């Protein structure tokens, strides 16, 4: 077994290693609006749910050259965001939206996806995504230069054909996951194990 002390790694090496170890990761494709009204879109794979009733999700957003990323600043200032699920047909647009654009650029346009008005919050969701969550900021916890952003889901949008008995069918959804480097994955075989009683 190799032993690697993360304290001995520089930032790029530490990032490269860590994102190859915690896999597969779901991708939150997040939309926000700046206080000036520009639409922002970016993917985040440090993403998960931490509570379901009430539904709370988390994304971890870092800084770039010492500056908070636009998503972090927008959520801090406007307290609202949407999380959209990425499927096969949306991978290229999602990757495009991870590019560095000045804050005033409409990233829906850059990525070639359609903003669809949300119901309870200002940032629009992505029309092409089969599952979207409207979120309101619950809390930001700063940890080691990153923002752990906790959002409360105030509305789910789910394409009707995906639902079966209160759940989204993973084989119909076919979400895309992030791996290490620039690798991604679809779902492999889906199997079932009953939980112990
Ligand atoms: C699939 C994918 C996952 C990403 N996950 C994260 C992440 O979890 N945290 C982060 O800070 N950046 C992540 N990034 C990089 C951001 O998307 C990128 O820095 C983006 O430009 C941020 O946009 P913003 O400045 O508009 O917020 C990821 C990029 C890709 C392609």
């Amino acid at each position: 077994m190799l032993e690697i002390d993360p304290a001995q790694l520089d930032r790029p090496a530490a990032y490269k290693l860590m994102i190859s170890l915690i896999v597969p990761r779901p991708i939150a494709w997040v939309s926000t609006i700046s206080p000036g009204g520009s639409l922002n879109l970016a993917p985040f794979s440090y993403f998960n749910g931490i509570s379901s009733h009430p539904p709370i999700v988390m994304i971890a957003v870092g800084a770039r050259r010492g500056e908070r990323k636009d998503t972090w600043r927008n959520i801090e200032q406007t307290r609202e965001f949407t999380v959209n699920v990425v499927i096969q047909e949306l991978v290229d647009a999602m990757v495009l939206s991870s590019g560095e654009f000045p804050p005033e650029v409409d990233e829906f346009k850059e990525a070639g996806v359609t903003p669809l008005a949300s119901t309870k919050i200002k940032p629009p969701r992505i029309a092409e995504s089969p599952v979207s969550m409207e979120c309101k900021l619950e809390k930001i916890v700063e940890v080691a230069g990153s923002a752990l952003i906790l959002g409360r889901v105030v509305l789910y949008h789910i394409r009707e054909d995906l639902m079966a008995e209160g759940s989204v069918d993973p084989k119909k959804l076919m979400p895309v996951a992030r791996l290490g480097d620039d690798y991604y994955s679809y779902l492999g075989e889906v199997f079932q194990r009953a939980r112990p009683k």
Side-chain angles (χ1 to χ4, degrees):
M1 293 292 267
L2 288 174
E3 285 190 348
I4 300 174
D5 178 352
Q8 303 303 318
L9 301 176
D10 64 12
R11 183 181 282 272
Y15 169 73
K16 186 178 166 73
L17 179 64
M18 189 170 197
I19 69 161
S20 72
L21 296 176
I22 303 175
V23 286
R25 293 185 306 289
I27 301 171
W29 200 7
V30 174
S31 75
T32 53
I33 303 191
S34 73
S38 359
L39 300 186
N40 191 88
L41 206 52
F44 297 92
S45 65
Y46 286 166
F47 162 55
N48 227 308
I50 64 159
S51 155
S52 36
H53 196 240
I56 307 285
V57 295
M58 57 127 296
I59 53 170
V61 182
R64 206 171 18 216
R65 295 180 293 278
E67 297 272 317
R68 296 170 173 200
K69 292 185 183 177
D70 296 338
T71 301
W72 180 352
R73 266 190 291 115
N74 290 348
I75 294 176
E76 194 168 43
Q77 291 173 33
T78 64
R79 305 187 66 83
E80 294 179 336
F81 60 102
T82 76
V83 171
N84 304 269
V85 168
V86 178
I87 52 169
Q88 195 166 355
E89 304 87 295
L90 298 176
V91 171
D92 290 334
M94 177 276 291
V95 173
L96 260 179
S97 76
S98 73
E100 267 188 55
F101 299 98
E104 65 280 5
V105 167
D106 178 340
E107 292 179 342
F108 277 82
K109 258 202 198 118
E110 296 297 324
V113 290
T114 318
L116 188 60
S118 290
T119 306
K120 296 193 174 192
I121 60 173
K122 270 204 192 136
R125 56 199 167 98
I126 300 171
E128 290 81 358
S129 175
V131 173
S132 304
M133 298 165 231
E134 297 186 17
C135 301
K136 289 194 176 175
L137 177 63
E138 190 77 20
K139 195 178 198 171
I140 296 182
V141 184
E142 280 192 50
V143 186
S146 284
L148 178 59
I149 297 175
L150 304 176
R152 179 186 288 245
V153 182
V154 293
L155 199 64
Y156 293 109
H157 299 272
I158 300 168
R159 219 176 57 206
E160 257 172 29
D161 60 296
L162 301 177
M163 283 294 281
E165 294 170 17
S167 302
V168 166
D169 181 339
K171 284 186 251 175
K172 288 188 182 154
L173 178 64
M174 285 301 281
V176 173
R178 176 101 194 261
L179 307 173
D181 292 321
D182 287 335
Y183 290 102
Y184 295 87
S185 166
Y186 304 129
L187 288 183
E189 189 186 342
V190 175
F191 62 92
Q192 196 174 28
R193 286 281 181 288
R195 274 168 283 190
K197 294 254 154 49

